[in-house]
Amino acid sequence: MLARKTALVTGSTSGIGLGIAKALARQGANIVLNGFGEVEAAKAEIAALGVKVAYHGADMSKPAEIEDLMAFAAREFGRVDVLVNNAGIQHVAKVENFPVERWDAIIAINLSSAFHTTRLALPAMREANWGRIINIASVHGLVASAEKSAYVAAKHGIVGLTKVTALETATTGVTCNAICPGWVLTPLVQKQVDARAAALGVSNEEATRLLLGEKEPSMQFTTPDELGELAVFLCGPASANVRGVAWNMDGGWAAQ
């Protein structure tokens, strides 16, 4: 479905971003990866799917590096057809104790980076009259949790940016939508489960039950592969008139 198209996925060397990148690659898209960590392993996973893969290590908190990332993608593959804004970080603290530098970093990476990639991707998408912008928000773009002020603010902002972008492209072949996951079983979340098990002196299974039981009625993690398949749908012809949606995949979290 996406043969001869290019997908750029930020924060895609592991977890949700890599899961989405692999799903798009299975549909034939060439992939531009971005992020830190096991870069070569991520590149190898994408290349094994039979598409071209490139990598750019832009720091998504720095507009100049984001501009270089977008220019790199255009040089490598012509233009970005599918833009997935996934890069994100987290910090937990009460508002009055929240470190200012952590607030600034979370807003920069989780929200402002999506503005910068979007503004730079849109001209070529408009010219081609086809493009897909998928913003990975969170259930925290729809509801809040205590001690996550910067993350919740940024993810609510991502949902708002999604709606505005969708309205501004509503009469074109470009769509913009957001995906709002609940708990996703990534290596980072697994570390939280392991830490909770150690702190409480309980099994990993019990720690998982406690974590999910606080928020997610389904008592199931969403997987990166499931999120990838939703991203594929949003790139397909059946979703051509899906615009400005914040699509939660959260096991019923926001339904409560």
Side-chain angles (χ1 to χ4, degrees):
M1 186 178 72
L2 297 175
R4 296 181 299 280
K5 291 191 177 351
T6 297
L8 187 158
V9 186
T10 66
S12 52
T13 52
S14 66
I16 292 172
L18 182 57
I20 291 173
K22 289 195 292 185
L24 297 174
R26 290 187 196 104
Q27 294 296 323
N30 296 320
I31 302 295
V32 179
L33 296 172
N34 157 264
F36 306 108
E38 298 295 328
V39 173
E40 292 306 317
K43 287 174 65 177
E45 286 193 53
I46 299 296
L49 297 170
V51 299
K52 296 178 181 177
V53 57
Y55 168 80
H56 192 288
D59 180 337
M60 298 305 292
S61 69
K62 297 178 179 178
E65 294 193 25
I66 295 171
E67 291 183 5
D68 193 61
L69 164 64
M70 299 303 290
F72 168 80
R75 287 196 307 270
E76 289 290 311
F77 298 119
R79 70 167 183 270
V80 173
D81 301 287
V82 178
L83 170 64
V84 182
N85 289 306
N86 171 71
I89 59 173
Q90 175 66 289
H91 185 80
V92 178
K94 292 184 182 299
V95 171
E96 63 268 31
N97 299 325
F98 213 96
V100 172
E101 67 277 7
R102 298 305 295 164
W103 172 278
D104 289 344
I106 289 170
I107 296 300
I109 292 175
N110 294 28
L111 176 57
S112 296
S113 71
F115 160 72
H116 290 299
T117 55
T118 298
R119 71 178 176 83
L120 294 164
L122 275 173
M125 288 182 176
R126 286 185 184 275
E127 184 177 356
N129 198 37
W130 197 93
R132 295 291 184 266
I133 300 172
I134 302 172
N135 294 321
I136 307 305
S138 165
V139 67
H140 283 115
L142 306 171
V143 298
S145 292
E147 301 192 2
K148 296 183 178 180
S149 57
Y151 189 83
V152 170
K155 294 303 186 180
H156 272 66
I158 281 286
V159 170
L161 175 63
T162 298
K163 292 177 179 180
V164 172
T165 305
L167 291 176
E168 292 183 2
T169 56
T171 59
T172 75
V174 180
T175 70
C176 182
N177 294 287
I179 296 175
C180 301
W183 284 115
V184 181
L185 190 55
T186 64
L188 288 176
V189 170
Q190 186 61 55
K191 286 181 181 178
Q192 292 185 48
V193 173
D194 295 342
R196 179 175 291 216
L200 297 177
V202 299
S203 68
N204 201 274
E205 292 76 12
E206 177 65 10
T208 297
R209 190 187 68 79
L210 291 170
L211 181 73
L212 291 171
E214 291 174 358
K215 299 282 188 179
E216 196 142 348
S218 70
M219 298 297 289
Q220 297 178 44
F221 286 110
T222 299
T223 68
D225 285 346
E226 289 168 346
L227 293 169
E229 291 305 313
L230 179 53
V232 167
F233 167 75
L234 292 173
C235 290
S239 66
N241 210 30
V242 178
R243 297 171 183 267
V245 169
W247 192 316
N248 43 314
M249 188 181 277
D250 62 0
W253 185 329
Q256 299 174 96

